[in-house]
Amino acid sequence: MLSHSRCLTRNFGRSLSAIRQGNNVLARRATAALSASHSITFNNTVKSDPRSSIFQIQYFRTSVAYRDEVVTVKTPAFAESVTEGDVRWEKAVGDSVSEDEVVCEIETDKTSVQVPSPAAGVIEELLIPDGGKVEGGTPLFKLRKGAGAPKAAEPPKAEAPAAEAPPPPSAAPPPPPPPSAVGPIPTTMPPVPPVPAHAMDTKPVSAIKPTAAPAAPVAQAEGGAKGARTESRVKMNRMRLRIAQRLKEAQNTCAMLTTFNEVDMSNISEMRKAYKDAFLKKHNIKLGFMSAFVKAAAYALSDQPAVNAVIDDTTKEIVYRDYVDISVAVATPKGLVVPVIRNVEGMNFADIEKAINLLGEKARKNELAVEDMDGGTFTISNGGVFGSMFGTPIINPPQSAILGMHGIFDRPVAVGGKVEIRPMMYVALTYDHRLIDGREAVTFLRKIKSVVEDPRVLLLDM
């Protein structure tokens, strides 16, 4: 009798909690389990059946409670240095998305943050307009979970265009006949698949493009006849605005001065040519010139710590660093980014090449995080990849100096009293004259020149 009363209490409590939650189906299942357990207890077979009824209740509750659930997706948390961003939608209301598919992109001052869908489903509502500003934790959109939702939404779209066309109306009213109609008319099958695709594509755009499309040919025809000129205006994105602001800050704050030198690339080119295959085979990455300049810069920064230092304008102090974090400028379609290679002083050529390749891939795929660009004690900008011959880079605040690399061109130079054609590169160092004197700047640039022209200097620590 004691076990009988315990079983009744347990099952009766579960049925009450189910009724309170408003789950009628669950309540009926719990009540059935209650009566079943009562009769079974009377027959002294309590230890197996009540547990099975409990498991049935738990499973049924999970399947009912989360069917067609609508969730609100919020803006992910930003880094400490980022407070807000602009939303750029890649999906519209009614679009079906798969799990981890990108729904929108948030442009911040430093990078773009992609917001993926947490589950497969259909977008119910966009809570922020395109271009709207958001902060961390701001609700972005509502998503109806479940793979069945997008399938149910598609048939109405297919019926709408069928009703609009003049010939199909007679075939559209009866839904059952289509299977039989498919047999006698095989020629109509190929056009059918594109119909839903066009309907989905034209739905978001039909309100804008159809009116502009007919006007465009007329305008072009008139423009061709009269020779009219046009112009367009594009709003600056947040990253471009931030780049402009930081460059202007550097110009207004730093006392910038640039010193130049030229580097004979003969030895480093021969070393690369001799060992590039073996280097690729061992490290699975190509040997480039950038690693030589990054390593040379780290060597020169340790020799001239003032170039690696920075002025703290709030406390009026000079901050000297005993580590070297080099920012490498990378051009992307959205603007210039400067990911950071950290602790370069302890890296070899292979480590530097791997770090540059990894950061470059992330920048091209727009996957750089704010943490990848925070910090940095010195910057290297390589305009030579675009064919630049000469230029003066601008300091990347709050740093105190930047090295500008340029293109390699064959030029006549005097070598041992004779004129020879050598591959030469101009290099430029822009520095903050408030902190770095001309002696340190010139010595720093000559140190880089000596290391690149003869890498054996690194081995001999000269």
Side-chain angles (χ1 to χ4, degrees), residues 57-75:
I57 292 172
Q58 291 178 347
Y59 174 79
F60 194 78
R61 180 180 183 277
T62 302
S63 61
V64 172
Y66 296 99
R67 184 183 299 168
D68 293 336
E69 179 186 5
V70 177
V71 296
T72 301
V73 181
K74 297 182 179 181
T75 306

Side-chain angles (χ1 to χ4, degrees), residues 196-399:
H198 284 295
M200 292 176 66
D201 293 341
T202 54
K203 176 190 155 189
V205 186
S206 58
I208 303 172
K209 296 260 176 103
T211 55
V218 179
Q220 291 176 357
E222 294 178 357
K226 300 179 181 179
R229 299 180 299 171
T230 61
E231 63 181 23
S232 60
R233 292 173 179 261
V234 179
K235 185 178 179 180
M236 294 177 68
N237 59 36
R238 184 176 287 270
M239 185 181 294
R240 175 55 59 186
L241 287 170
R242 182 59 176 165
I243 291 172
Q245 178 185 353
R246 286 176 61 84
L247 292 178
K248 194 60 182 175
E249 284 178 2
Q251 194 176 39
N252 294 338
T253 304
C254 300
M256 290 191 291
L257 185 62
T258 306
T259 183
F260 305 93
N261 214 317
E262 59 180 359
V263 179
D264 186 348
M265 302 292 291
S266 300
N267 289 337
I268 195 72
S269 298
E270 291 176 3
M271 185 188 78
R272 179 173 177 267
K273 184 178 180 181
Y275 296 104
K276 64 178 182 179
D277 294 335
F279 189 89
L280 177 61
K281 184 177 180 180
K282 180 175 181 180
H283 301 289
N284 197 28
I285 194 168
K286 293 181 179 180
L287 177 62
F289 294 119
M290 195 67 183
S291 56
F293 278 90
V294 171
K295 189 63 179 177
Y299 184 74
L301 287 169
S302 62
D303 184 71
Q304 298 294 325
V307 184
N308 199 44
V310 65
I311 296 177
D312 188 343
D313 291 317
T314 58
T315 61
K316 305 303 179 184
E317 296 175 337
I318 300 175
V319 181
Y320 290 93
R321 288 92 162 233
D322 58 357
Y323 56 89
V324 177
D325 293 347
I326 294 183
S327 305
V328 179
V330 179
T332 67
K334 293 187 177 181
L336 188 69
V337 295
V338 280
V340 181
I341 307 174
R342 306 190 189 279
N343 301 318
V344 181
E345 70 278 7
M347 290 184 172
N348 55 27
F349 278 61
D351 296 334
I352 295 172
E353 288 290 352
K354 290 177 182 178
I356 293 174
N357 183 69
L358 176 62
L359 293 172
E361 283 295 322
K362 293 176 71 174
R364 283 185 288 271
K365 294 178 181 179
N366 196 27
E367 295 177 352
L368 281 175
V370 177
E371 293 77 12
D372 294 327
M373 295 178 286
D374 274 348
T377 61
F378 184 77
T379 297
I380 297 179
S381 176
N382 185 9
V385 295
F386 305 110
S388 172
M389 181 178 180
F390 206 76
T392 57
I394 300 178
I395 293 174
N396 177 27
Q399 299 173 10

Side-chain angles (χ1 to χ4, degrees), residues 162-163 165-175 177-178 181 185:
S170 58
I185 311 175

